Amino acid sequence: MAAGAVVGVALVAVILFLATFDGRRLIDLGAWVGAEDPWRQSMVPNARWATDELCDADLPCTQAVQSDTLTMYRFLDRDHAVAAARRFAGESYLSGWIVVRFEPGRLTAAERSEFAIGLDCMHVGTTEDGVEC
């Protein structure tokens, strides 16, 4: 009987984890620095680490990558990501724990959308908006 209860509790814990897990939390922005993939190179040309320059107490990101077209910020806390996206309003996009700040005039609206969809679909099967990846 006790073993059944333990199995039941473990099963509920696994279900809760899977229901609330978002793989975007695990995205490492380093994948864009020195990327050899042609799509990443075209979307984020000359990508370089900018964590030390951009992340501080006012903008508590854990990673930042800057390129000719955009800057990406990764946060441990989703609330910090939401606040940063609001701060960069108009030129930003929020995808889970990552905020993308687009450089004005560098990517077309279609390219921005393509980049956002690509980011949204990393490590997930369905985006927050219900898009199948």
Side-chain angles (χ1 to χ4, degrees):
M1 180 99 105
V6 170
V7 170
V9 168
L11 184 58
V12 168
V14 168
I15 290 170
L16 284 174
F17 172 78
L18 293 175
T20 60
F21 178 74
D22 189 329
R24 289 171 304 157
R25 182 178 275 186
L26 305 176
I27 293 173
D28 179 9
L29 299 184
W32 279 274
V33 177
E36 294 182 16
D37 174 87
W39 182 80
R40 287 186 187 195
Q41 287 178 350
S42 70
M43 287 291 173
V44 190
N46 300 314
R48 65 176 183 78
W49 283 110
T51 307
D52 292 341
E53 300 166 37
L54 301 174
C55 301
D56 56 23
D58 187 42
L59 189 63
C61 49
T62 57
Q63 291 183 325
V65 170
Q66 193 168 38
S67 77
D68 295 345
T69 56
L70 56 87
T71 302
M72 290 184 285
Y73 306 85
R74 181 174 179 253
F75 297 86
L76 289 180
D77 186 304
R78 172 121 167 137
D79 291 339
H80 289 146
V82 170
R86 287 182 181 146
R87 176 178 169 182
F88 303 140
E91 296 297 331
S92 69
Y93 182 78
L94 174 65
S95 180
W97 291 259
I98 296 176
V99 175
V100 179
R101 184 177 189 186
F102 294 102
E103 292 295 325
R106 296 297 189 134
L107 294 174
T108 65
E111 290 169 327
R112 287 181 180 201
S113 179
E114 180 183 343
F115 185 82
I117 290 169
L119 185 60
D120 282 348
C121 284
M122 290 186 79
H123 303 297
V124 297
T126 305
T127 67
E128 287 177 282
D129 299 337
V131 175
E132 293 287 328
C133 297

